[in-house]
Amino acid sequence: MQQTPTPRQILNTLLPHLRVAAAYARQIQPQIAARPIKEEQENMFAAALSDADLSIQTLVEVALIGSFPNIRFFGEEYEQSYNTKYFRAIDLGEQGDYLVTLDPIDGTQFYLDGHDNYQIILAILNADEFEAVLAISPAQDIYYYALRGEGAWQGKLEDPLEACRPLQISETQPAILLGWGMEAIAPALKDQYQIFDIATGYSHEVQIPNLNGMFSGELAGAIIRTGKWIDGAALAFLAQSAGCIVTTLEGNPPPPLHSSTDYQRPGFIVAASNSIHQDLVKAVQVTHSTLMQP
């Protein structure tokens, strides 16, 4: 029986291929043309689709099938991929039967608009929790990764995992990111924090922080309506591994992955400190109760 690779082995194997994907994304960004918008999406960020999404997913799929032919894999573009049928499964497995996920371009609208804070996010999920997350920022020549119980790390793209330094989130700007559908919370926070509201404040010309702003200190916290495994929930795990506080909107610990449906966790809060977390939980509580719904 083939031995299951460890999360670190998976990251080490895929990192060279992800470097190639990052170079590709960076190279074609000035020339990229948007492909047809995805149907039945609730906002422009979910709807945006570029050539880079499909090409990077194909690259990673080829590397995975060639290296770990028995692995589970779910990529954002699975419905359009030529390779989905070659994976053993695309869903969450039993404990120890890892699922690899990929968001080939997280922040596709940012990418299409020429901003530099888009990412390539690869995650390894166990039945209960993330085992590893690796997030590459191609245009910033940096990547972050976390392994369950081993903290979070950051390095230049050319650095091997072992050469990365610990990711420590200490000094942050007094700024909060509100994800799509959370704009009603802004009045409860605007006296204390600068608010970046994705729904009403996104600009095609002027870059605003994405959730990865937690890692650079651009953000002190974020309130996100739903935590998709491939992006938001993965970045929340990375932030938590770096010392941030991550809870549901009610302030409770995130539920185990196997209790979730549709490849996502409930909405969540990320905060750089206890006091910030208290402010964000209070802001959610005093806002309309419909925001507490998944």
Side-chain angles (χ1 to χ4, degrees), residues 37-52:
I37 290 179
K38 300 174 187 176
E39 298 178 356
E40 298 181 359
Q41 299 292 342
E42 66 176 6
N43 64 70
M44 66 178 179
F45 300 100
L49 173 65
S50 75
D51 295 323

Side-chain angles (χ1 to χ4, degrees), residues 2 19 21 28 46 56 61 108 178 208 210 253:
Q2 186 177 11
R19 289 193 187 101
I28 70 168
I56 289 173
E61 288 170 337
T108 304
L178 298 181
I208 65 172
N210 205 349

Side-chain angles (χ1 to χ4, degrees), residues 196-235:
F196 292 104
D197 172 17
I198 289 288
T200 63
Y202 181 79
S203 169
H204 296 286
E205 293 78 28
V206 180
Q207 181 170 303
I208 65 172
N210 205 349
L211 186 54
N212 59 5
M214 291 296 305
F215 310 139
S216 62
E218 293 178 272
L219 297 172
I223 304 176
I224 307 298
R225 188 177 181 86
T226 56
K228 291 184 178 180
W229 293 352
I230 63 170
D231 48 41
L235 294 178

Side-chain angles (χ1 to χ4, degrees), residues 98-265:
Y98 303 137
L99 170 69
V100 176
T101 66
L102 177 74
D103 189 340
I105 296 286
D106 175 55
T108 304
Q109 193 63 53
F110 289 78
Y111 181 70
L112 295 174
D113 288 335
H115 301 325
D116 71 1
N117 57 346
Y118 66 92
Q119 302 168 98
I120 300 170
I121 304 174
L122 183 122
I124 304 169
L125 285 62
N126 215 333
D128 61 339
E129 186 55 272
F130 287 88
E131 291 290 341
V133 171
L134 190 152
I136 291 178
S137 297
Q140 299 173 4
D141 190 35
I142 194 170
Y143 75 93
Y144 306 94
Y145 80 92
L147 287 161
R148 187 174 182 177
E150 299 183 32
W153 308 79
Q154 66 179 44
K156 296 291 186 180
L157 276 179
E158 69 269 18
D159 293 338
L161 297 181
E162 296 74 19
C164 291
R165 64 185 188 277
L167 172 60
Q168 298 176 333
I169 302 171
S170 52
E171 297 184 7
T172 61
Q173 297 297 316
I176 303 299
L177 175 70
L178 298 181
W180 194 273
M182 308 305 279
E183 57 271 17
I185 297 177
L189 293 168
K190 65 180 182 179
D191 291 339
Q192 296 172 273
Y193 300 96
Q194 179 181 7
I195 303 300
F196 292 104
D197 172 17
I198 289 288
T200 63
Y202 181 79
S203 169
H204 296 286
E205 293 78 28
V206 180
Q207 181 170 303
I208 65 172
N210 205 349
L211 186 54
N212 59 5
M214 291 296 305
F215 310 139
S216 62
E218 293 178 272
L219 297 172
I223 304 176
I224 307 298
R225 188 177 181 86
T226 56
K228 291 184 178 180
W229 293 352
I230 63 170
D231 48 41
L235 294 178
F237 169 81
L238 213 166
Q240 188 172 40
S241 299
C244 290
I245 298 166
V246 176
T247 67
T248 65
L249 296 178
E250 297 87 349
N252 299 319
L257 294 174
H258 62 72
S259 68
S260 305
T261 59
D262 297 329
Y263 297 87
Q264 63 185 26
R265 272 178 158 163

